[in-house]
Amino acid sequence: MTGEVMASGEGRNGWVRPLWAFLVCVSSALCVCVPSLFAQSQPMTTPTDNNTSLPDFDSLWDYGDAAATRKQFESIRARTPDAPASYRLQLLTQIARTHGLEGDFDAAHALLDEVETALAQAQVQSPSVEGVRYLLERGRVHRSGGAADKARPLFEQAFDMGQRVGAAYHAIDAAHMVAITVDSTDTRRQWSRRGITIAEASISTLHAVILK
């Protein structure tokens, strides 16, 4: 999310930047303090059958160096051929994101096509974290490529699905992306409020856990 905040160029909406910086800090802090709240939000280190752990690839993101990040992601992909499908598909969406940040939209779409095909072949009928991340990254590529009209509905779908699967971090991300995609100030504020509502609910849950 941070990379798109920095690159969004929403200078005409100066109030958006500090607001979303706050939401990023809140959601990130919650991921660290109470990882169980975000167990479905991010592919945190996951136990495997041989009692080892899969790399937490999200922690390796360097939005200032997409190429270096992609190199690490591709290495993980090569080393984890037997990882759960959800993990591998989420990783693939992030490799696509590195291409999008470099402006290589064809390569990004090609990888997202692979994810879309895999999701269809798996006949996934229920919402999933990999589905949320697919929608987010497809939307980001469309937006960066100048097709905001195609991006917005994908972000809105990601927001809805993220809430349904309990992926608060990604739901906040999706609300942010809608807010910086639309032109209407009122609509931007509405989507910002939706992100804040999720963050506030997560904070309330954190308080309840701490006070137990």
Side-chain angles (χ1 to χ4, degrees):
M1 181 153 52
T2 307
E4 283 70 21
V5 171
M6 295 172 61
S8 60
E10 68 277 20
R12 58 192 172 88
N13 310 316
W15 59 273
V16 173
R17 189 180 301 275
L19 169 62
W20 286 107
F22 164 74
L23 289 179
V24 171
C25 290
V26 169
S27 56
S28 297
L30 286 170
C31 284
V32 172
C33 296
V34 190
S36 61
L37 296 181
F38 289 81
Q40 291 179 302
S41 300
Q42 299 216 75
M44 307 301 285
T45 304
T46 306
T48 59
D49 292 338
N50 61 359
N51 203 32
T52 60
S53 295
L54 293 170
D56 175 14
F57 54 78
D58 281 310
S59 67
L60 301 176
W61 255 111
D62 178 355
Y63 296 98
D65 194 339
T69 301
R70 182 169 59 254
K71 184 176 180 179
Q72 293 191 74
F73 287 173
E74 291 286 10
S75 175
I76 292 173
R77 186 185 183 193
R79 301 196 315 267
T80 57
D82 298 322
S86 175
Y87 180 91
R88 288 182 61 78
L89 291 177
Q90 289 183 59
L91 176 58
L92 202 56
T93 68
Q94 298 311 287
I95 295 174
R97 186 174 182 178
T98 66
H99 286 293
L101 286 173
E102 292 181 321
D104 190 349
F105 306 131
D106 288 342
H109 278 304
L111 288 175
L112 292 169
D113 287 345
E114 289 185 37
V115 176
E116 182 179 23
T117 298
L119 290 172
Q121 289 177 342
Q123 297 183 337
V124 177
Q125 300 299 322
S126 58
S128 62
V129 177
E130 57 268 33
V132 176
R133 303 193 81 171
Y134 159 76
L135 292 167
L136 270 169
E137 301 315 329
R138 182 75 86 178
R140 270 193 260 266
V141 176
H142 280 311
R143 178 180 178 274
S144 297
D149 56 328
K150 293 182 179 179
R152 179 179 175 178
L154 293 171
F155 294 143
E156 292 177 346
Q157 291 176 53
F159 176 80
D160 291 338
M161 189 181 294
Q163 289 189 292
R164 292 172 67 185
V165 301
Y169 183 92
H170 298 310
I172 292 172
D173 190 0
H176 159 66
M177 293 309 299
V178 177
I180 65 172
T181 297
V182 299
D183 292 323
S184 166
T185 299
D186 287 341
T187 303
R188 287 195 295 272
R189 287 174 176 164
Q190 289 170 9
W191 278 97
S192 295
R193 170 49 59 184
R194 291 178 183 181
I196 291 171
T197 298
I198 296 174
E200 289 175 342
S202 299
I203 292 172
S204 297
T205 303
L206 173 61
H207 285 168
V209 170
I210 292 174
L211 293 174
K212 278 187 177 180

